Amino acid sequence: MIYRSMKKMKKAGFLIGVGLMLVQTAPAQNLKDALKFTENHQFEEASKVFRKLIAEKPTDATNYYYMGENMYKSERFDSAAFYYEKGISVDANVALNHVGKGKIALTKNDEATAKPLFQKALTLSQDAKVYIAVAEAYISNEWKSMTYALECLANAEKADRNNPNIYLLMGDAALIGTNDGLTALNNYEKARDMDPKNPKPYIHIGTLYERARSYDLALVEYNKAVSLDTTFAPSYYKLGDLYYQFGDFKNAKDYMLKYVKLAKSLSSKIKYAKYLFLAKEYESAIFEMDDINTVDSSLNILNRLLAYSYFETKDCAKALQYMEKFLRKAQTTGDKIIADDHRYYGKILLCAKKDSLGATLAIPELKMAIDMDSSKLDVYGSLADAYLKVKSYDDAVNILLQKFTLVKEPAINDIFKIGQAYYVKAVDTKDSLTFLKADSTFAIVTAQKPDLVVAHVFRARTNAGLDPLTKSGLAKPHYEKVIEFGTLDAAKNKVFLAEAHYYLAYIFFQAGNKADALKNVDKTLEYDPAYKGAPELKKKIEKMP
């Protein structure tokens, strides 16, 4: 999951509105209406009806379950847990609330707690809707193994072969468990053929095509879903997400806004804010989230998104504030801590606390991010930076070498960082062999990108380290490259140019070349009138015969 809910933005079409599948014969029209609201992502409207039903029949444990489901699907897991528990306290013989409680345990990766609850539920009832609920618990959490979910769906099929939602979930399980697109498609098409006027099978088929990067085919399926029911909000959400992947941000935004208008829920507004974040409209995302916070500040997912967004706008202090608030509240809300949380928290710590303490705190977070998801390549560079700050130079080199195994060709910036690690280690240890490693690494960088001024600077510094008494002038040709390329944008590179001219001034001074020494020291003072040692060196040069 990009973080858990962000991953659902890309994959989920799977679980759109599975609420109705759990009721074969709803006891009252009002319950049907409420479930329809949930299915259409109108979670606040659904809550109003469920509260009314609970008030009318406070001893009906089923209503608490569906209220919990409504909260679960809007990602309010703490509230969902409350209603499942309340349902159990009202009537412990209603199986579905035990399933709900187990599903909450799965959000915390706690199958050891979840499995006995599912088994208890199935002891209480072997109704198809209970088997379906257990399977959906695993599927909604994208569990690593779908074996038990598929067993439950097989039992549900035996009990109710005419329920198309069973086949939608079978398709989802095939995709999540083994990435078996053909089996998924066969099941989705079976569900579609059983209920051809229902938009949900088309959304599942579209999601399958989207995963296969067959975006044109996905677009056809999503448009079919819209044509079948123009009021079904999730169809517009999927269209918005698809257009985002096309890079058509205007259409993406239009469809996302249609989704929000139809769903009329805080959850839909949060999804829109997530879209804005993914589209790199960070300021707009923050504005939307602040607006949501004025209505309901208890939604912990907003703290996560605000932390990410403020980091991207370089407001590291606010990013840290919201990230730590999210992590603190997640201990009680049941929000799953995902790889992106560790990734952003580590980077935020590096940004907000620029000393070695920040790096020390960031290292375990960044390592955890890699352990959970090694595909986010930017983490490796951040971890290397953190290692450099705490002087773990070999670790910095090794983590970048690890990154190189994941890419076709190492990035220049990463090769440069390896050179930096060798250089700083060499400065600390005064080890000439490490200086040579740094020099050969920077040589690769300057060969591939000769106009990269900072690479010439570090190669010059490295050679100066190999010539600590400045007797051989090893750094001279490299500082001359700094001047050659640095003067192309003197304003940007004035710090480096001052350094380069100072070195040359000193070399010429030692060689007795007053004219060139004076010319270079004057250039140093031109770029930086307060450059350390330059005024004193100029006085010495002026005294030369």
Side-chain angles (χ1 to χ4, degrees), residues 299-311:
L299 300 169
N300 197 31
I301 192 171
L302 293 178
N303 294 317
R304 167 192 272 156
L305 264 181
L306 282 165
Y308 291 11
S309 299
Y310 275 118
F311 173 78

Side-chain angles (χ1 to χ4, degrees), residues 222-337:
Y222 295 151
N223 280 326
K224 282 181 185 176
V226 170
S227 69
L228 287 168
D229 185 352
T230 57
T231 67
F232 191 57
S235 303
Y236 297 96
Y237 174 76
K238 293 300 293 182
L239 278 166
D241 187 47
L242 185 64
Y243 275 110
Y244 163 75
Q245 293 185 63
F246 284 159
D248 185 344
F249 299 119
K250 182 184 183 304
N251 269 321
K253 199 166 188 176
D254 288 345
Y255 279 112
M256 285 292 181
L257 288 171
K258 285 180 182 178
Y259 166 69
V260 172
K261 185 176 180 180
L262 283 169
K264 295 178 288 191
S265 64
L266 290 179
S267 177
S268 66
K269 290 181 179 178
I270 291 170
K271 283 184 170 66
Y272 179 56
K274 290 176 189 174
Y275 159 73
L276 291 172
F277 173 83
L278 289 173
K280 300 184 179 181
E281 295 185 31
Y282 304 119
E283 296 288 356
S284 296
I286 290 168
F287 177 83
E288 291 294 330
M289 286 183 279
D290 285 342
D291 189 49
I292 296 167
N293 259 329
T294 61
V295 178
D296 188 347
S297 61
S298 69
L299 300 169
N300 197 31
I301 192 171
L302 293 178
N303 294 317
R304 167 192 272 156
L305 264 181
L306 282 165
Y308 291 11
S309 299
Y310 275 118
F311 173 78
E312 298 294 352
T313 62
K314 311 301 182 189
D315 190 338
C316 300
K318 280 192 175 178
L320 183 62
Q321 172 193 334
Y322 282 107
M323 194 73 236
E324 293 187 335
K325 186 177 180 181
F326 166 75
L327 294 171
R328 193 165 55 248
K329 290 185 71 174
Q331 296 174 14
T332 56
T333 59
D335 291 287
K336 188 179 290 185
I337 306 303

Side-chain angles (χ1 to χ4, degrees), residues 13-24:
F14 299 157
L15 303 171
I16 294 172
V18 292
L20 283 177
M21 79 172 87
L22 302 175
V23 181
Q24 292 171 308

Side-chain angles (χ1 to χ4, degrees), residues 200-221:
K200 289 188 293 180
Y202 297 95
I203 290 178
H204 284 249
I205 294 169
T207 300
L208 173 62
Y209 286 138
E210 196 174 332
R211 282 170 61 102
R213 299 182 185 277
S214 298
Y215 298 126
D216 290 342
L217 293 176
L219 184 61
V220 170
E221 297 299 323

Side-chain angles (χ1 to χ4, degrees), residues 511-524:
N513 185 339
K514 182 176 182 179
D516 285 337
L518 191 59
K519 180 177 70 174
N520 277 282
V521 79
D522 282 341
K523 291 296 290 184
T524 296

Side-chain angles (χ1 to χ4, degrees), residues 345-362:
Y345 190 32
K347 294 170 82 168
I348 288 166
L349 285 166
L350 281 176
C351 176
K353 302 175 183 288
K354 298 187 182 297
D355 54 11
S356 61
L357 174 61
T360 301
L361 294 171

Side-chain angles (χ1 to χ4, degrees), residues 34-312:
L35 292 173
K36 185 68 175 177
F37 283 136
T38 298
E39 184 176 64
N40 205 32
H41 294 190
Q42 294 173 277
F43 301 113
E44 283 75 28
E45 291 300 315
S47 291
K48 290 176 186 177
V49 180
F50 285 128
R51 288 192 179 97
K52 178 175 176 290
L53 293 172
I54 288 169
E56 290 172 353
K57 294 183 179 180
T59 59
D60 186 345
T62 305
N63 289 330
Y64 292 99
Y65 170 73
Y66 290 120
M67 179 63 154
E69 286 293 276
N70 187 59
M71 293 297 177
Y72 183 89
K73 289 177 173 62
S74 62
E75 299 185 30
R76 301 183 68 162
F77 303 120
D78 52 341
S79 296
F82 170 82
Y83 283 104
Y84 297 142
E85 290 281 8
K86 184 68 176 175
I88 292 170
S89 69
V90 167
D91 186 348
N93 290 318
V94 172
L96 288 172
N97 284 304
H98 297 285
V99 179
K101 186 175 178 181
K103 183 158 63 173
I104 293 298
L106 287 186
T107 67
K108 302 173 183 177
N109 291 318
D110 185 3
E111 191 183 23
T113 296
K115 194 78 173 280
L117 288 164
F118 298 148
Q119 291 168 338
K120 181 174 183 178
L122 292 168
T123 300
L124 290 168
S125 172
Q126 290 78 50
D127 193 288
K129 64 187 176 186
V130 181
Y131 282 114
I132 290 170
V134 173
E136 191 270 341
Y138 282 94
I139 292 166
S140 69
N141 282 285
E142 298 189 353
W143 203 251
K144 51 187 174 290
S145 172
M146 288 288 121
T147 302
Y148 191 52
L150 287 168
E151 288 176 11
C152 289
L153 290 171
N155 284 319
E157 184 182 23
K158 290 175 186 176
D160 185 4
R161 292 185 179 277
N162 297 318
N163 188 339
N165 291 294
I166 293 172
Y167 301 102
L168 291 180
L169 287 171
M170 282 183 173
D172 295 346
L175 271 185
I176 296 169
T178 58
N179 198 30
D180 185 347
L182 181 59
T183 298
L185 182 60
N186 288 338
N187 278 290
Y188 294 154
E189 288 179 339
K190 188 171 185 177
R192 178 199 62 196
D193 294 342
M194 292 172 71
D195 191 5
K197 293 185 179 180
N198 188 333
K200 289 188 293 180
Y202 297 95
I203 290 178
H204 284 249
I205 294 169
T207 300
L208 173 62
Y209 286 138
E210 196 174 332
R211 282 170 61 102
R213 299 182 185 277
S214 298
Y215 298 126
D216 290 342
L217 293 176
L219 184 61
V220 170
E221 297 299 323
Y222 295 151
N223 280 326
K224 282 181 185 176
V226 170
S227 69
L228 287 168
D229 185 352
T230 57
T231 67
F232 191 57
S235 303
Y236 297 96
Y237 174 76
K238 293 300 293 182
L239 278 166
D241 187 47
L242 185 64
Y243 275 110
Y244 163 75
Q245 293 185 63
F246 284 159
D248 185 344
F249 299 119
K250 182 184 183 304
N251 269 321
K253 199 166 188 176
D254 288 345
Y255 279 112
M256 285 292 181
L257 288 171
K258 285 180 182 178
Y259 166 69
V260 172
K261 185 176 180 180
L262 283 169
K264 295 178 288 191
S265 64
L266 290 179
S267 177
S268 66
K269 290 181 179 178
I270 291 170
K271 283 184 170 66
Y272 179 56
K274 290 176 189 174
Y275 159 73
L276 291 172
F277 173 83
L278 289 173
K280 300 184 179 181
E281 295 185 31
Y282 304 119
E283 296 288 356
S284 296
I286 290 168
F287 177 83
E288 291 294 330
M289 286 183 279
D290 285 342
D291 189 49
I292 296 167
N293 259 329
T294 61
V295 178
D296 188 347
S297 61
S298 69
L299 300 169
N300 197 31
I301 192 171
L302 293 178
N303 294 317
R304 167 192 272 156
L305 264 181
L306 282 165
Y308 291 11
S309 299
Y310 275 118
F311 173 78
E312 298 294 352

